[in-house]
Amino acid sequence: IVGGSVVSVKSHPWFAAIFQRTRQVEVFLCGGSLISPCWVLTAAHCFDGGLQSRKQLFSVVLGKSSLNQMDSAAEQTFRVEEIFIHEEYNNSQGNYNNDIALVKLEAKQGKCSEETDWVRTVCLPPPQRRLQPGVTCEIAGFGKERHGSSRFSQNLREAQVDLVADDVCRQEGYYSDMITDNMFCAARPDWSQDACTGDSGGPLVHEVQGRLFLFGVVSWGDRCAVQNRPGVYARVTNYNKWIGEKTGLAS
Ligand code: 4AZ
């Protein structure tokens, strides 16, 4: 996250940190969002490189506010039982179309996550519900604090970004035809806050009638916090049916 501020995961208790084991060390991979006690929604491109079958390489930590410090009172750690990449995920045009994936947490003694002050699920918005351009949303993650930085943020950060109209984001000078109907754009009007490398898969939420809903999954962008280069998000409301089918949850 560029700009924005450090927060406790209590402000984003659905935030999931996905780690990958490479040569015995756990490396932070991506953000995600807890949508039910056993399921995390994230970005498909987090598993690029044919890693999706190697589910034993991944772990998911809920309740995490600090990347390199363990808070045993808050954190709940899980192995991964299953990873579903959207069947139409496609990056052949370099634009991560259908950049959505589901990760099933492996239950321990018959239970996945337990609701606490630090861990809770986020609501999915109703299918096809569209936000108006200009509405303010919140994003959160451990991603880089500036483009090109050598490391991820040590602390969870949040930022505010406003929805950019589709026709604006499709202008030449923005992203032209890279933006499909499975994506939307969001940016700070003064370009001072944005998602960045490592925020991928993480939540974009917006409050409707006092409740926060997961409208977006951090997907891509040209660098970070650059003028006329909004962050691009997977449009969660296009996937209610797919999510329902994969998880068996009603939607
Ligand atoms: C990335 O590389 C990335 N500014 C994610 C989001 C954005 C840029 C890059 C949006 O994961």
Side-chain angles (χ1 to χ4, degrees):
I1 299 276
V2 178
S5 45
V6 171
V7 280
S8 163
V9 73
K10 284 180 175 178
S11 305
H12 300 269
W14 39 82
F15 185 83
I18 304 176
F19 291 82
Q20 181 187 339
R21 199 167 57 245
T22 51
R23 300 174 231 98
Q24 315 302 321
V25 285
E26 298 268 323
V27 180
F28 177 71
L29 179 68
C30 269
S33 301
L34 188 72
I35 59 165
S36 79
C38 292
W39 289 95
V40 168
L41 192 67
T42 185
H45 85 258
C46 295
F47 305 104
D48 278 357
L51 291 161
Q52 121 213 30
S53 54
R54 316 216 45 202
K55 62 186 187 194
Q56 68 281 359
L57 292 179
F58 301 100
S59 59
V60 176
V61 185
L62 306 173
K64 200 163 185 56
S65 297
S66 169
L67 201 54
N68 292 306
Q69 264 171 245
M70 152 103 183
D71 178 350
S72 51
E75 294 182 15
Q76 301 178 31
T77 302
F78 297 89
R79 293 148 66 99
V80 167
E81 183 168 316
E82 222 162 0
I83 301 170
F84 290 121
I85 308 288
H86 196 281
E87 292 79 359
E88 289 155 71
Y89 166 60
N90 181 352
N91 192 33
S92 64
Q93 315 289 322
N95 66 347
Y96 294 126
N97 198 18
N98 298 299
D99 195 8
I100 203 114
L102 279 163
V103 174
K104 188 175 191 189
L105 308 180
E106 193 175 283
K108 302 182 269 195
Q109 285 112 230
K111 275 197 146 203
C112 296
S113 56
E114 290 191 80
E115 188 171 327
T116 65
D117 285 353
W118 301 275
V119 175
R120 67 164 292 175
T121 56
V122 67
C123 304
L124 293 180
Q128 308 306 329
R129 166 72 191 256
R130 296 250 174 166
L131 293 176
Q132 296 299 315
V135 302
T136 299
C137 302
E138 280 185 346
I139 56 175
F142 287 110
K144 294 183 175 180
E145 291 176 53
R146 40 189 45 186
H147 178 70
S149 162
S150 60
R151 56 190 198 94
F152 294 137
S153 176
Q154 293 299 104
N155 298 300
L156 187 65
R157 302 184 74 92
E158 69 172 21
Q160 264 90 46
V161 287
D162 295 359
L163 207 81
V164 174
D166 294 335
D167 58 340
V168 170
C169 206
R170 288 183 183 129
Q171 287 172 6
E172 292 176 48
Y174 281 72
Y175 291 128
S176 335
D177 56 3
M178 305 277 277
I179 305 301
T180 72
D181 189 53
N182 299 310
M183 307 169 193
F184 65 83
C185 301
R188 191 82 178 166
D190 66 0
W191 312 101
S192 65
Q193 301 183 25
D194 195 8
C196 201
T197 313
D199 290 318
S200 287
L204 175 145
V205 295
H206 174 72
E207 190 177 315
V208 180
Q209 291 166 354
R211 289 174 81 181
L212 287 165
F213 288 87
L214 182 69
F215 277 92
V217 171
V218 178
S219 182
W220 62 276
D222 175 5
R223 295 159 288 163
C224 313
V226 170
Q227 189 175 0
N228 296 0
R229 294 292 182 272
V232 185
Y233 297 81
R235 191 186 290 280
V236 171
T237 52
N238 281 10
Y239 300 101
N240 294 67
K241 183 161 169 268
W242 182 80
I243 292 167
E245 285 168 7
K246 295 297 170 191
T247 62
L249 303 168
S251 74

